[in-house]
Amino acid sequence: MSSITRRRLLAGTAGIATAAAVGLPAFGQGAAPQPKRGGTLTGTWGGFEPQALFVPPGGGSSPYFTSTKIHERLLTLDNDLNFVPVLALEVTPSEDFRSYRVKLRPNVKWHDGKPLTADDIVFNALQYWKPLSAGIALKALVGAEAVDATTALLKFNAPLPEFFLKSVLAGKAGLVIPKHVYEGRDILTNPANNAPIGTGPFKFKEWVRGSHVELLRNEDYWDAPRPYLDRLVIRWWRDPASRSAAFEAGQLDLGVFNPTPAPDIKRLTDTGRFTATTLGYDNSSWVSTIEFNSRRDIVKRPDVRKAINLAIDRQFIADTIFFGRAKPAAGPIPSTNRVFFDPALKPYPFDLAQAGKLLDAAGFPKKRGGRFKVNLVAAGWFEENVKLGQYVRQALEDLDIEVDLAIPDRATSFKRIYTDYEYDIALSNNSGTVELVPEWTRFVTTDNIIKGGAFRNATGHSDPKLDDIVARLSAEVSPDKRVALAREFQANLATSLPWTALVEIQSTTIARADVRGHSLTADFLGDSWAGVWLDR
Amino acid sequence: MVFSFLRRFARNRAALVGLLLILIVIAAAIAAPFLFPRNPLRIVGRPEIWPFLTWRHPLGTDSLGRDIAAIIAHGARTTFMIGLLASLTATLIGVTVGALAAYVGGWVDEVLMRIAELFQTIPNIIFILTIVSILGQTILNITIAVGIVTWTPIARLTRAEFLSLREREFVQACRAIGTTDLKIIVREILPNALPPVVILSSLVVASAILFESAVSFLGLGDPNVASWGGLIGDGRTLIRTSWYICAVPGVAIMLTVLALNLVGDGLNDALNPRLKT
């Protein structure tokens, strides 16, 4: 079973698409000369209904998926990892990188007809982004002011890297909400969270709980003639297999983030009625990680960690457990991160003999009852982790390590790994942006050893050198130097190995063959879908 | 006595078929370590080999490449161990509670029956999942959890039997000659109350197997032990393409539970005094 590459998927899709679709951008605007207006599209994602349509502090992928069709951001990141303007025409740093000028797009209106102004940006920066959504990422923000109706100034108490700030503004935390709706009342409990008023291509119409939310075309959208759809229905299914059935029954047009069971993808695309792509996930890459508890005497040793990494067949995990929809990882930072990933890093080879020698040398010879015993916890929030846990147990047993495997449910997994630290080796996951701070660095820095902090430093790893690299990475404004620091960060982790990745998971979008203009940004789940159209 | 019991049991042909099926499953459970000496959860081949294609894996392999035949054989051990132990737990609790409630009566009866009702009002599967997620996902905890939720029907049945028996002449005769309560309960009433309880216990074995399958199917089973329900849970995502991964253990569970019910019917025929000829 070989892994399905982007290029091959694209080529396959181009073949399926109309004769006008020539060359690579099969999903692009260039795929067909003239986007068609009209029609209703039913979309979903590979998860459940959200707790609220918009959850101001975040609330996970589900509310993020629905709210981003209504609320927009200043910038977005395209598939070539360039920031492109959305509500902002430009975001420019001052010479000392201590303030940024946000020039807004003129004539943008909220869904209730009021204009978007610089006051909205000031409100968002001070009342929403800093205290609620971005948290520590914007701790350097000290002030914001409106220079004129469409220009705002953000001020920081330390130099802030441009890529970092733009990443926050284009990220999950950067949604722009209306000041006139949210000012003066608690943002968290505002009723508008379930009937959001935004600037986006779609207006909220109705949410039928337990079923779907219906969104209508915003006739006054700033980016005419977009959006192309008359109506967007987001519907939720509880089970991946029923999403496959919905696709086949014609009830579902577009599903993001692994809507169906992996083995069904080939079955669906083989019919020619559906296409699959792994594009559109670079700014929310998922990896499957292995964490070694630094509080435990045996697995805190880098040589033991290295031996264990050598004993795990990453290609088998990618091919069999993820059905080819993953690739062996060289380190915690995925190779799809073309800005910061260090191409010199290679995935660990599968070499059981070498691993055995390392353990012999480390003072753990083969003996009756095993070299030593470990508690292995595989986090039960993904179905693949069940199989992954069982495979890793066997891999360790082949190395003569006794293994006690536990695959707890979601809540218990959080508790065991991130609160009680009750494991020797944990199999977990991470999803993060292209920018490394803080979504990737928070797994290993000393200030992130926070009991109960999910996806923080659970291993207890503490290395002043590494902390220093991250501190410099956070404050460095030169893009080239940041890349160099990011490589230092990866090299440091490659030797101490408190936390690394086994495979990079390739998320998949499935669409009916006549859905066009999708998967064009680096986080398509959180894209506004203004460019999506139906070739019917 | 034993002979006539067997004769009455054998008159029910369906019960004989059930018994035969159970004997086959028991034989598989006993033979598992000899037929498949390696750990059944080991990956031994290519994933998703269909059944009956190769002698090396007669029932095929699952999505990871583990031998389904080995999992079925070793799973039979797990299944029977859980079934029997859970049934034993439930019967012990049930008979004790039922006997005490009926024999002592009064406020003891009231309290014990209210407790039983409390247990009955909680949906079984939710109660089991709660216990397992609190105590931890080990095979022993699952067994205990199943025992804890299935004792109430046994308690009620025992209580009813005891109520009808405790005023009979032979019990009163024992009281008259000064036999202790414990002796009356254990030696006089219990043997007479037991036959219907045994039938119910055999059915608890069947429901214990189903509960364990459901728990494993939901991913809360013991990942260190091969089990039929766990195999179904693993194969669920492949149901459209490699449906046999679910079907093979599914058929095994269906046949075993059916067999236990048939045997229960046979026991009913053999033990029920009203059906004696």
Side-chain angles (χ1 to χ4, degrees):
Chain A
M1 220 184 287
S2 71
S3 78
I4 298 171
T5 63
R6 279 152 193 267
R7 202 167 293 276
R8 212 189 304 161
L9 267 165
L10 278 168
T13 317
I16 291 160
T18 56
V22 182
L24 265 184
F27 298 97
Q29 282 347 94
Q34 194 58 53
K36 292 184 189 163
R37 264 286 324 274
T40 296
L41 179 131
T42 305
T44 194
W45 77 295
F48 304 143
E49 187 173 13
Q51 56 276 48
L53 288 187
F54 168 54
V55 178
S61 298
S62 190
Y64 175 63
F65 174 54
T66 46
S67 60
T68 45
K69 313 297 166 273
I70 303 165
H71 288 310
E72 291 184 295
R73 281 160 279 196
L74 295 176
L75 307 163
T76 190
L77 193 63
D78 71 11
N79 268 342
D80 298 325
L81 304 190
N82 296 317
F83 289 104
V84 290
V86 181
L87 291 180
L89 289 175
E90 52 192 26
V91 175
T92 35
S94 64
E95 241 165 59
D96 62 357
F97 288 91
R98 282 168 184 268
S99 70
Y100 282 76
R101 181 177 292 269
V102 177
K103 184 87 189 108
L104 281 180
R105 190 179 290 281
N107 305 323
V108 176
K109 285 200 182 94
W110 295 100
H111 289 167
D112 57 7
K114 297 215 165 63
L116 169 80
T117 66
D119 282 340
D120 287 305
I121 303 307
V122 172
F123 171 79
N124 274 276
L126 299 177
Q127 312 279 330
Y128 173 43
W129 299 338
K130 183 175 180 183
L132 274 176
S133 63
I136 192 161
L138 282 185
K139 67 169 191 266
L141 181 77
V142 286
E145 64 186 57
V147 178
D148 58 51
T150 57
T151 313
L153 200 64
L154 304 178
K155 296 174 182 162
F156 302 90
N157 64 11
L160 207 68
E162 185 176 346
F163 193 90
F164 173 82
L165 178 71
K166 287 187 169 177
S167 180
V168 173
L169 296 178
K172 290 192 164 107
L175 295 180
V176 178
I177 59 176
K179 178 184 178 187
H180 63 275
V181 173
Y182 280 92
E183 193 180 32
R185 48 203 300 191
D186 187 5
I187 291 179
L188 294 178
T189 57
N190 194 306
N193 294 341
N194 278 331
I197 294 163
T199 56
F202 295 100
K203 286 180 168 181
F204 171 78
K205 178 169 181 238
E206 166 183 47
W207 180 14
V208 181
R209 289 197 193 233
S211 169
H212 67 276
V213 61
E214 185 181 344
L215 307 174
L216 295 181
R217 181 172 194 267
N218 176 5
E219 302 292 341
D220 295 326
Y221 192 52
W222 53 266
D223 196 12
R226 296 176 176 208
Y228 300 115
L229 300 170
D230 283 337
R231 215 159 63 104
L232 172 63
V233 176
I234 291 172
R235 191 179 287 278
W236 302 281
W237 283 264
R238 287 201 68 83
D239 184 54
S242 48
R243 288 185 206 108
S244 303
F247 269 121
E248 288 170 295
Q251 295 166 354
L252 178 56
D253 303 302
L254 180 57
V256 290
F257 197 64
N258 310 319
T260 69
D264 276 1
I265 297 172
K266 190 174 175 314
R267 199 172 58 79
L268 289 172
T269 52
D270 279 353
T271 63
R273 292 170 52 211
F274 303 97
T275 60
T277 177
T278 55
L279 285 175
Y281 295 99
D282 285 354
N283 205 29
S284 59
S285 302
W286 281 87
V287 289
S288 139
T289 58
I290 182 165
E291 306 190 14
F292 296 94
N293 195 338
S294 296
R295 300 167 189 85
R296 304 286 170 99
D297 280 334
I298 295 174
V299 292
K300 77 176 180 193
R301 300 172 50 165
D303 46 352
V304 171
R305 293 171 175 175
K306 190 172 173 203
I308 289 172
N309 266 290
L310 283 168
I312 297 173
D313 185 350
R314 288 166 158 76
Q315 195 65 51
F316 175 86
I317 295 173
D319 288 346
T320 303
I321 296 176
F322 288 92
F323 298 95
R325 308 210 149 258
K327 58 181 258 190
I333 311 304
S335 62
T336 49
N337 187 336
R338 295 185 298 283
V339 179
F340 293 113
F341 173 73
D342 182 356
L345 292 171
K346 295 283 173 264
Y348 270 97
F350 174 51
D351 189 343
L352 206 53
Q354 181 64 26
K357 276 184 207 151
L358 271 176
L359 286 186
D360 289 341
F364 301 106
K366 256 183 164 167
K367 63 175 195 291
R368 253 183 92 87
R371 295 175 192 264
F372 52 83
K373 192 170 161 55
V374 293
N375 275 311
L376 176 66
V377 177
W381 46 68
F382 283 155
E383 204 138 320
E384 286 86 358
N385 286 0
V386 176
K387 290 181 189 172
L388 186 60
Q390 283 164 343
Y391 166 68
V392 171
R393 177 186 53 193
Q394 173 176 336
L396 296 184
E397 281 171 356
D398 288 347
L399 198 54
D400 294 293
I401 298 170
E402 287 277 297
V403 180
D404 188 11
L405 171 67
I407 308 173
D409 61 23
R410 186 184 161 84
T412 317
S413 296
F414 274 121
K415 190 162 180 298
R416 271 194 77 166
I417 301 173
Y418 296 105
T419 306
D420 297 342
Y421 306 139
E422 198 191 318
Y423 68 93
D424 291 304
I425 301 173
L427 302 173
S428 179
N429 297 90
N430 186 38
S431 133
T433 54
V434 172
E435 171 60 47
L436 302 186
V437 186
E439 286 184 12
W440 297 94
T441 55
R442 66 184 174 192
F443 279 84
V444 284
T445 57
T446 308
D447 57 352
N448 271 300
I449 305 178
I450 301 165
K451 220 172 162 59
F455 303 118
R456 298 296 181 89
N457 184 346
T459 64
H461 181 74
S462 177
D463 175 359
K465 250 191 178 154
L466 187 68
D467 292 343
D468 179 55
I469 295 172
V470 173
R472 276 156 51 209
L473 184 64
S474 311
E476 177 59 59
V477 294
S478 147
D480 290 342
K481 284 185 184 161
R482 294 197 85 221
V483 170
L485 281 165
R487 296 202 170 159
E488 254 186 79
F489 174 74
Q490 292 169 76
N492 178 299
L493 287 177
T495 47
S496 58
L497 281 172
W499 159 78
T500 190
L502 296 172
V503 291
E504 302 168 8
I505 303 169
Q506 290 172 338
S507 302
T508 305
T509 297
I510 298 175
R512 264 173 74 123
D514 58 4
V515 177
R516 299 269 187 278
H518 65 84
S519 307
L520 292 168
T521 49
D523 181 15
F524 182 65
L525 180 145
D527 183 81
S528 73
W529 291 22
V532 177
W533 57 281
L534 297 168
D535 193 10
R536 287 183 187 159
Chain B
M1 170 71 196
V2 173
F3 185 72
S4 75
F5 167 81
L6 284 178
R7 194 167 47 82
R8 282 200 302 277
F9 185 84
R11 201 184 297 150
N12 185 336
R13 302 281 154 170
L16 276 185
V17 174
L19 191 65
L20 187 70
L21 281 173
I22 289 179
L23 286 177
I24 291 173
V25 179
I26 291 176
I30 293 172
F34 308 106
L35 287 176
F36 306 100
R38 293 169 81 178
N39 182 345
L41 293 180
R42 268 199 74 81
I43 295 158
V44 289
R46 211 158 48 75
E48 293 180 66
I49 301 176
W50 279 68
F52 313 122
L53 287 185
T54 153
W55 274 112
R56 276 170 53 87
H57 311 294
L59 294 180
T61 57
D62 73 355
S63 62
L64 272 180
R66 297 175 294 198
D67 188 359
I68 290 181
I71 297 180
I72 293 286
H74 281 266
R77 298 166 78 85
T78 319
T79 301
F80 262 94
M81 199 196 81
I82 290 179
L84 290 175
L85 281 181
S87 172
L88 194 69
T89 315
T91 309
L92 277 179
I93 303 175
V95 167
T96 312
V97 170
L100 269 179
Y103 193 83
V104 179
W107 67 268
V108 176
D109 187 21
E110 282 291 320
V111 170
L112 288 176
M113 284 303 106
R114 291 301 87 76
I115 291 175
E117 272 163 21
L118 193 71
F119 274 80
Q120 279 182 308
T121 51
I122 307 172
N124 285 347
I125 189 71
I126 292 173
F127 201 14
I128 291 174
L129 292 178
T130 312
I131 296 174
V132 171
S133 54
I134 291 171
L135 292 183
Q137 296 165 262
T138 68
I139 204 83
L140 184 69
N141 291 341
I142 296 170
T143 312
I144 293 171
V146 174
I148 286 177
V149 300
T150 46
W151 63 268
T152 47
I154 296 178
R156 301 188 83 89
L157 183 68
T158 310
R159 177 172 171 273
E161 291 291 319
F162 264 64
L163 281 178
S164 77
L165 288 169
R166 76 169 185 191
E167 304 301 334
R168 295 277 179 85
E169 290 81 356
F170 69 98
V171 178
Q172 287 177 351
C174 290
R175 283 215 191 88
I177 59 172
T179 317
T180 61
D181 285 344
L182 189 67
K183 260 192 183 159
I184 294 178
I185 291 177
V186 175
R187 300 204 19 201
E188 301 300 332
I189 305 182
L190 198 56
N192 287 291
L194 221 43
V197 173
V198 168
I199 295 162
L200 196 56
S201 301
S202 73
L203 296 180
V204 168
V205 176
S207 54
I209 291 173
L210 289 177
F211 280 132
E212 190 278 331
S213 304
V215 168
S216 300
F217 177 79
L218 293 172
L220 285 169
D222 190 336
N224 296 295
V225 177
S227 95
W228 295 351
L231 189 54
I232 296 183
D234 278 355
R236 195 182 41 188
T237 50
L238 290 160
I239 192 103
R240 296 292 290 269
T241 46
S242 300
W243 50 266
Y244 66 89
I245 299 175
C246 290
V248 171
V251 168
I253 291 171
M254 189 192 79
L255 289 180
T256 310
V257 172
L258 178 72
L260 282 164
N261 279 287
L262 292 177
V263 169
D265 285 349
L267 282 177
N268 188 33
D269 291 355
L271 291 173
N272 191 334
R274 283 188 205 94
L275 293 175
K276 276 182 193 169
T277 47

